Amino acid sequence: MLLRDTRRLVAIDIFRGLTIAIMLLVNSLPNFEQAYPLLLHAPWAGLTIADLAFPGFVFIMGVSASLWFAKHRDDSFGEKFSIILKRSVLLFLFGLILNQLPLLLQHCFSPEAGGSLLNDIMEHGRVMGVLQRLGLVYFFGMIITWWLRSEKHIAIMSLLLLALSSTCFHLYDTTNPFSPDNNISMLIDGIFPGAAHCYLGKPFDPEGLYGTIAATASFLWGMLAGRQLTLESAPIFERVLMLLVSGTLLLILGGVWSYLDIISKQLWTAPYVLFTSGGFMWGLGLLQMALSLFPDFMKWLFTPCRLLGTNPLFFFIVPDRLLLLFWYIKVQGTAIYPWLWEHTLLGVLGAPLSIAVFAFVWVLLWLPVANFLYKRQIIFKL
């Protein structure tokens, strides 16, 4: 749906834009084997810059949802529920459709592979994905917030969800609960959607169903941060202080919990949620403080992020799909995207610096598009 909306909270747009910029950067590396490790997802346990993009989306979705509830507090039960359900279903279905694009491109650029596209989708099409998890998290997070209402009860529910996720890992395998070869998340993925429909045909999907439990907690922490950020009865410095205190408590709890569970984006473990959510609270709080003290300078400084952050759905989908196309178009037997890197920056800067610079240029190329949409207040939403 195409909307025009001029009422924006600048800190949210900038934060969202930062997560989009990270996503664009790490997804557009022309060579993943020689790139800086911080720009790559941690292989199993650990935390890198690349591991901040997805939880950043979930967290800021919760922050934005707090504004939605304030705006729709007088709507009837049916109106609220229909909007929540519609958005959740559309996110899931849209993600499911986008997941089949690689198979479509494979049939277009490699027709010699033969077979039916429909059969390939039915046999190998990936079911879960980023938008699908966002749809599920949005639905459950919104329903929980609507049901509990109280900030204290929402915080307790967040901790209970993390405890549930962690406990089931340990009950499933008491000796090695987070093994990359056998864990409860992998078990559930094998049941639904099945190994053939997981990411790259592996027996485990990083956006599988089980991780939705802890990811919903990420959304709820964002919801609480949004309520603290927009608390009208408190001055801005008090609101920021509440965010910083809350973030510190989550970071401490995450540190303690990490002695029990690993920090893993792949499994979306409890310490991963606490560390990222606590860090995001600090980031959002400091950003809001800086915007309050130096509004004009900060808006100018973070203009690129603000431009990207006003159209998250567009910049989540379009650049990545276009990039996927560039990996299928061949030049001299090599995909055109890495071919351009090899024939421009590699010989001048060498790897891995040239890889990071090339990806950064890709991000910059989208800023004129973001500026065009921003000036006309065109926002794409589901």
Side-chain angles (χ1 to χ4, degrees):
M1 183 182 298
L2 184 61
L3 301 175
R4 296 180 179 272
D5 189 1
T6 58
R7 297 167 296 179
R8 314 287 299 182
L9 191 58
V10 176
I12 293 178
D13 283 336
I14 292 176
F15 185 99
R16 191 187 291 115
L18 282 169
T19 62
I20 292 172
I22 293 174
M23 179 203 71
L24 292 177
L25 183 68
V26 300
N27 286 353
S28 59
L29 301 175
N31 184 305
F32 292 92
E33 295 180 357
Q34 302 180 61
Y36 290 117
L38 275 178
L39 297 180
L40 302 173
H41 289 291
W44 190 250
L47 189 62
T48 69
I49 292 175
D51 295 322
L52 298 178
F54 194 5
F57 275 118
V58 176
F59 179 85
I60 204 64
M61 183 169 66
V63 175
S64 301
S66 68
L67 304 180
W68 185 89
F69 272 110
K71 180 180 177 182
H72 294 270
R73 61 166 59 96
D74 296 327
D75 291 356
S76 66
F77 173 89
E79 289 174 327
K80 288 180 181 176
F81 185 77
S82 64
I83 294 174
I84 294 171
L85 181 62
K86 178 183 176 182
R87 287 179 176 172
S88 303
V89 170
L90 286 176
L91 279 170
F92 193 97
L93 292 179
F94 199 39
L96 185 61
I97 293 171
L98 289 176
N99 274 3
Q100 314 317 315
L101 184 58
L103 289 175
L104 174 61
L105 291 175
Q106 182 178 324
H107 276 260
C108 291
F109 288 92
S110 303
E112 67 277 3
S116 165
L117 174 61
L118 181 59
N119 286 340
D120 281 350
I121 291 175
M122 296 299 294
E123 294 177 4
H124 308 292
R126 188 185 179 198
V127 174
M128 299 302 293
V130 171
L131 288 181
Q132 292 91 312
R133 173 167 286 181
L134 288 176
L136 293 174
V137 165
Y138 179 80
F139 179 80
F140 291 119
M142 294 291 278
I143 295 301
I144 289 172
T145 302
W146 188 7
W147 170 45
L148 295 178
R149 301 178 185 271
S150 163
E151 284 84 354
K152 179 177 69 174
H153 292 158
I154 293 173
I156 293 173
M157 177 58 75
S158 301
L159 294 174
L160 288 176
L161 289 173
L162 296 179
L164 172 64
S165 173
S166 175
T167 300
C168 290
F169 272 114
H170 289 275
L171 289 177
Y172 177 76
D173 188 336
T174 57
T175 58
N176 192 7
F178 303 101
S179 167
D181 301 316
N182 183 34
N183 56 72
I184 189 172
S185 185
M186 186 178 293
L187 171 69
I188 293 175
D189 287 339
I191 299 172
F192 179 86
H197 297 282
C198 289
Y199 180 63
L200 297 179
K202 298 179 180 180
F204 167 78
D205 199 305
E207 279 79 54
L209 282 177
Y210 191 77
T212 304
I213 298 173
T216 301
S218 298
F219 176 95
L220 295 177
W221 293 124
M223 174 70 71
L224 292 175
R227 290 191 177 186
Q228 292 177 341
L229 182 66
T230 58
L231 187 62
E232 296 181 357
S233 60
I236 186 62
F237 296 107
E238 185 176 328
R239 289 182 247 167
V240 169
L241 181 60
M242 286 191 292
L243 273 175
L244 298 184
V245 170
S246 299
T248 300
L249 291 175
L250 292 188
L251 290 171
I252 294 173
L253 183 57
V256 174
W257 209 315
S258 66
Y259 285 95
L260 179 66
D261 297 353
I262 66 172
I263 302 169
S264 175
K265 184 263 180 188
Q266 302 264 25
L267 296 175
W268 213 284
T269 58
Y272 175 72
V273 171
L274 293 169
F275 273 122
T276 54
S277 299
F280 293 152
M281 285 184 178
W282 262 84
L284 187 61
L286 294 177
L287 180 59
Q288 184 59 59
M289 174 69 75
L291 282 167
S292 301
L293 295 174
F294 315 104
D296 295 333
F297 173 75
M298 291 299 294
K299 288 179 182 179
W300 170 82
L301 181 64
F302 286 98
T303 294
C305 296
R306 189 155 48 95
L307 295 177
L308 293 172
T310 54
N311 254 305
L313 187 62
F314 179 89
F315 290 106
F316 176 81
I317 294 172
V318 176
D320 190 60
R321 299 303 103 176
L322 184 60
L323 196 61
L324 181 62
L325 176 63
F326 289 161
W327 278 96
Y328 275 91
I329 299 175
K330 305 290 185 179
V331 176
Q332 300 176 352
T334 304
I336 190 172
Y337 190 73
W339 183 88
L340 287 172
W341 162 68
E342 291 173 358
H343 288 77
T344 54
L345 295 181
L346 178 59
V348 179
L349 300 177
L353 178 59
S354 64
I355 297 173
V357 173
F358 194 82
F360 184 70
V361 171
W362 171 261
V363 178
L364 293 179
L365 290 175
W366 288 99
L367 293 182
V369 179
N371 186 54
F372 174 85
L373 297 174
Y374 179 80
K375 284 187 174 180
R376 287 156 181 79
Q377 288 297 298
I378 300 173
I379 302 173
F380 292 86
K381 290 184 178 181
L382 286 178

